[in-house]
C-alpha cells in the first residue's frame, strides 16, 4: 500500500510557465517531507524539504506547499526552465530513518 | 568529495545467473540503503543498515535477494538466481544520522 502517492506520471510545461507537481500521503503523523529530482542515468538528488509545522517553504524558483488537512503537498517551479526536465519524487519519513517514496512525476519543460 | 559509488553501472545477465551489485557509501555516513526503482512502484526500499548492521530487510522481495555490509565502506546486494522480473535500476544511498539521503548513480540490471 503506497503511503506516498504521485498520481501524475508525467507533466509537460512551456518554458517560463509554472510547473506544479502534486503528492498525496496517507499518514497524518509524517512530520516532514522531501522532494528529490532525478535526471536520466543519475541517482535522485535532494531538492527541497518542508516541515509539517509549516505550510510553505521557498528556495529560489522552487516552492513546496503543504496542506495537512488534505494530506497533500505540491512543488511549484516558476519560471520553469528546460533544465528542470527530470523525474521528481516526493518522500516522507517511514520511521527508523528510512523514507517512503512516491512513484515519481516526469516533468518535461518545452523550450 | 566523492559521493556514493556503485558498480557495475550496467549489468546484463542471463536468467539463473548470480548478480552482485556493489556500493561504497559516503565516508562517515552511518546509514546505508538499497533501493530498487521500477515504473510501477517507484523507489522501493529493499534493506537498510545502520553502522553496518541490517535494520530492516522487509522490503527484500524474496530469499533470492541478500545484502551484506562487512564494513563501513562497502556493501553488496546479491541476487541468486536472477530472474527477468528483477530487471530494474538498483540504487544505493547513504545518510548521516538519518538526515538527507544521498544516492549513487544506480546499477542498471537487465536479466534476459
Amino acid at each position: 500500500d503506497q503511503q506516498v502517492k504521485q498520481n501524475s506520471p508525467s507533466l509537460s510545461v512551456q518554458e517560463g510557465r509554472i510547473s506544479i507537481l502534486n503528492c498525496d500521503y496517507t499518514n497524518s503523523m509524517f512530520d516532514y517531507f522531501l522532494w528529490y529530482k532525478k535526471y536520466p542515468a543519475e541517482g535522485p538528488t535532494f531538492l527541497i524539504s518542508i516541515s509539517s509545522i509549516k505550510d510553505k517553504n521557498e528556495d529560489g524558483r522552487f516552492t513546496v506547499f503543504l496542506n495537512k488537512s488534505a494530506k497533500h503537498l505540491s512543488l511549484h517551479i516558476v519560471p520553469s526552465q528546460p533544465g528542470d526536465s527530470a523525474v521528481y519524487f516526493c518522500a516522507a519519513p517511514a520511521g527508523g530513518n528510512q523514507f517512503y517514496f512516491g512513484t515519481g512525476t516526469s516533468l518535461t519543460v518545452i523550450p | 568529495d566523492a559521493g556514493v559509488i556503485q558498480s557495475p553501472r550496467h549489468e546484463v545477465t542471463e536468467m539463473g545467473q548470480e548478480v552482485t551489485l556493489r556500493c561504497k557509501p559516503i565516508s562517515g555516513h552511518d546509514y546505508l540503503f538499497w533501493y530498487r526503482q521500477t515504473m510501477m512502484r517507484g523507489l522501493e526500499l529493499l534493506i537498510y543498515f545502520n553502522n553496518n548492521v541490517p535494520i530492516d530487510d522487509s522490503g527484500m522481495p524474496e530469499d533470492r535477494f541478500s545484502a551484506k555490509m562487512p564494513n563501513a565502506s562497502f556493501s553488496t546486494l546479491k541476487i541468486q538466481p536472477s530472474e527477468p522480473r528483477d530487471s530494474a535500476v538498483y540504487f544505493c544511498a547513504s545518510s548521516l544520522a538519518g538526515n538527507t539521503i544521498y544516492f549513487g548513480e544506480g546499477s542498471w540490471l537487465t536479466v534476459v
Side-chain angles (χ1 to χ4, degrees), chain B residues 9-57:
Chain B
R9 289 297 312 276
H10 297 89
E11 175 92 5
V12 180
T13 190
E14 291 185 345
M15 182 173 64
Q17 296 297 306
E18 178 179 290
V19 173
T20 299
L21 307 179
R22 298 172 177 80
C23 175
K24 176 177 167 55
I26 293 173
S27 178
H29 280 191
D30 55 353
Y31 284 85
L32 183 139
F33 307 84
W34 282 100
Y35 283 89
R36 178 171 67 176
Q37 182 187 9
T38 61
M39 290 295 292
M40 291 298 295
R41 301 177 67 87
L43 282 166
E44 292 179 276
L45 178 66
L46 301 178
I47 185 172
Y48 79 96
F49 297 82
N50 178 219
N51 292 321
N52 314 338
V53 176
I55 303 300
D56 185 351
D57 66 353

Side-chain angles (χ1 to χ4, degrees), chain A residues 1-2 9 32 34 36 38-47 49 87 89 94-104, chain B residues 9 31 33 35 37-45 48 55-56 89 91 95 97-106 108:
Chain A
D1 189 27
Q2 289 280 96
Y32 67 99
L34 309 170
Y36 278 78
K38 182 186 176 306
Y39 290 118
E42 295 183 12
T45 55
F46 171 73
L47 181 61
S49 64
V87 178
F89 293 95
N97 297 296
Q98 57 178 300
F99 293 87
Y100 294 115
F101 281 85
T103 51
Chain B
R9 289 297 312 276
Y31 284 85
F33 307 84
Y35 283 89
Q37 182 187 9
T38 61
M39 290 295 292
M40 291 298 295
R41 301 177 67 87
L43 282 166
E44 292 179 276
L45 178 66
Y48 79 96
I55 303 300
D56 185 351
V89 185
F91 288 101
S95 72
N99 290 319
T100 303
I101 292 179
Y102 295 86
F103 285 83
E105 294 188 320
W108 297 68

Side-chain angles (χ1 to χ4, degrees), chain A residues 14-34:
Chain A
Q14 284 291 134
E15 180 178 4
R17 299 290 186 105
I18 185 172
S19 296
I20 301 177
L21 297 96
N22 295 305
C23 180
D24 297 301
Y25 60 94
T26 57
N27 190 342
S28 58
M29 299 301 290
F30 290 146
D31 54 4
Y32 67 99
F33 302 88
L34 309 170

